């Protein structure tokens, strides 16, 4: 019998397909049955209301997208009043994404959001730390460990740490998050990038720079997911540039136990539902009975660690 379920710590998901935070909302319930996917991941919530960054907030680049949304939020009270009850009608577990500007604020918000109906908390430690000159918590192992330690002490719910690609210490950060109590890693958030309109000579985003997502980003995020899966014992959730079932399979083979789909949903709103079907078809055609047979099966024996610098072609 075909089994497409996956295990993320103490949570068993009926399949490994879920949305990336910020690309999923209640409106998609009008498009497909939200219970067909493995989990629901909310748009990031903050304690206070936030209006977000100046416009324009989104622009297309070749093969991908830049965004500088700035985490607009109606605040935690509105979230608990309106959003959590909406998702309570579904069987898929609700994963709440949170953001804050300091470790203490993160811990306080996490405690406040740890209410019935919430299955796990995804902590967006890719956001700026106001006490560290605006550097993201997840850029350094030390700040990652500090914020995750406070978060772990604030809740009994599973904690998923969302990492950033804007660091040269990917595996060290992953290990720090695990040591401090993370139950899973989401790898990863968007890559800091920029685009300029050559006619106006102005940046295409109102906030000058933003996050690169979509297919162009996938090889970077896939590399990070592979490195993290090799470095920690907790589950890794791959996120970045997934737009085909082949992308999903790549992440699973690289070691991810589940995946999050983001930018592709803007192009094809039903893509997550289709991926669930496509995954089952792929397993059947390969003669596999379980998703778990794919996870981490990459044949990397005899390969180097990938850190050898290549010479430029003549």
């Amino acid at each position: 019998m075909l089994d497409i379920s996956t295990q993320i710590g103490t949570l068993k998901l009926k399949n490994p397909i879920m949305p990336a935070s910020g690309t999923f909302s209640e409106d998609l319930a009008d498009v497909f049955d939200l219970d067909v996917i493995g989990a629901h991941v909310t748009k990031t919530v903050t304690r206070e209301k936030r209006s977000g960054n100046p416009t324009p907030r989104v622009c297309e680049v070749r093969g991908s997208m830049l965004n500088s949304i700035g985490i607009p939020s109606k605040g935690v009270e509105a979230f608990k009043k309106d959003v959590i009850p909406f998702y309570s009608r579904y069987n898929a577990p609700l994963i709440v994404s949170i953001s804050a500007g300091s470790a203490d604020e993160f811990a306080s918000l996490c405690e406040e959001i740890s209410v019935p109906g919430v299955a796990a908390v995804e902590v967006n430690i890719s956001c700026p730390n106001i006490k560290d000159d605006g550097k993201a918590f997840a850029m350094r192992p030390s700040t990652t460990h500090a914020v995750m330690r406070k978060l772990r002490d604030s809740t009994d719910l599973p904690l998923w740490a969302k990492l950033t690609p804007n660091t040269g210490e990917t595996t060290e950060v992953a290990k720090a998050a695990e040591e401090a109590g993370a139950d899973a890693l989401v790898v990863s958030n968007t890559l800091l990038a920029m685009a300029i309109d050559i006619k106006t000579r102005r940046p295409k985003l109102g906030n000058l720079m933003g996050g690169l997502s979509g297919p162009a980003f996938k090889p970077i995020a896939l590399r990070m997911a592979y490195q993290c899966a090799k470095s920690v014992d907790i589950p890794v959730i791959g996120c970045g540039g997934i737009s085909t079932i082949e992308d999903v399979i790549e992440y699973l083979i690289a070691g991810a136990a589940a995946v999050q789909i983001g930018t592709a949903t803007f192009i094809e709103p039903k893509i997550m539902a289709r991926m669930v079907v496509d995954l089952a078809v792929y397993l059947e055609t390969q003669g596999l009975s379980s998703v778990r047979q794919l996870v981490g099966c990459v044949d990397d024996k005899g390969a180097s660690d990938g850190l050898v610098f290549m010479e430029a072609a003549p």
Side-chain angles (χ1 to χ4, degrees):
M1 183 174 179
L2 190 63
D3 180 9
I4 62 170
S5 68
T6 191
Q7 195 79 27
I8 307 296
T10 59
L11 286 180
K12 184 175 182 179
L13 310 186
K14 62 184 177 183
N15 62 69
I17 308 297
M18 67 184 94
S21 175
T23 65
F24 182 71
S25 75
E26 301 89 290
D27 295 337
L28 283 175
D30 296 329
V31 180
F32 68 92
D33 178 7
L34 299 187
D35 254 341
V36 303
I37 56 179
H40 301 150
V41 184
T42 68
K43 187 181 185 306
T44 300
V45 62
T46 59
R47 163 162 281 105
E48 309 297 337
K49 292 182 180 180
R50 288 172 56 102
S51 58
N53 285 335
T55 57
R57 295 176 176 180
V58 175
C59 74
E60 291 187 53
V61 293
R62 189 176 303 165
S64 290
M65 182 181 85
L66 294 182
N67 90 84
S68 180
I69 304 299
I71 313 181
S73 170
K74 294 181 179 180
V76 67
E77 289 305 321
F79 184 89
K80 291 195 293 183
K81 176 178 177 291
D82 300 324
V83 179
I84 294 176
F86 174 86
Y87 287 105
S88 67
R89 71 188 72 173
Y90 297 101
N91 294 319
L94 179 64
I95 317 302
V96 176
S97 173
I98 65 171
S99 175
S102 71
D104 288 335
E105 290 175 6
F106 248 125
S108 176
L109 178 58
C110 187
E111 182 176 5
E112 194 168 349
I113 208 69
S114 298
V115 296
V118 177
V121 180
E122 181 179 284
V123 288
N124 183 9
I125 56 173
S126 307
C127 60
N129 179 0
I130 59 173
K131 293 187 177 181
D132 191 26
D133 296 323
K135 296 182 178 68
F137 293 91
M139 287 182 69
R140 299 171 180 170
S142 59
T143 49
T144 296
H145 192 282
V147 69
M148 291 306 302
R149 185 71 266 167
K150 283 185 176 288
L151 282 158
R152 183 68 283 163
D153 292 339
S154 71
T155 186
D156 293 325
L157 289 176
L159 290 173
W160 298 2
K162 190 167 187 176
L163 305 189
T164 176
N166 302 304
T167 178
E169 301 179 271
T170 297
T171 56
E172 293 84 356
V173 166
K175 291 175 183 177
E178 179 184 36
E179 290 169 3
D183 297 284
L185 304 178
V186 179
V187 186
S188 75
N189 211 321
T190 55
L191 182 68
L192 190 62
M194 185 178 184
I196 295 174
D197 187 323
I198 63 171
K199 294 180 181 178
T200 65
R201 302 183 184 179
R202 295 181 58 83
K204 290 186 178 181
L205 293 175
N207 203 46
L208 305 184
M209 291 174 280
L212 176 71
S213 64
F217 176 54
K218 195 204 79 179
I220 298 170
L222 180 68
R223 178 267 300 171
M224 288 184 63
Y226 168 81
Q227 289 179 308
C228 290
K230 288 286 187 181
S231 302
V232 299
D233 293 323
I234 56 177
V236 169
I237 300 164
C239 180
I242 297 172
S243 58
T244 67
I245 191 59
E246 289 79 13
D247 295 331
V248 173
I249 301 305
E250 273 195 87
Y251 272 102
L252 295 174
I253 291 173
V259 297
Q260 293 185 349
I261 298 172
T263 301
T265 297
F266 299 139
I267 300 169
E268 184 185 344
K270 295 181 180 180
I271 191 169
M272 286 184 287
R274 179 171 62 79
M275 291 294 191
V276 174
V277 175
D278 289 349
L279 177 59
V281 170
Y282 175 84
L283 291 173
E284 289 179 338
T285 59
Q286 295 296 308
L288 302 175
S289 60
S290 169
V291 163
R292 280 162 282 190
Q293 291 174 272
L294 275 178
V295 176
C297 70
V298 59
D299 183 3
D300 55 2
K301 295 180 179 63
S304 71
D305 61 10
L307 298 180
V308 177
F309 289 99
M310 304 297 292
E311 292 183 4

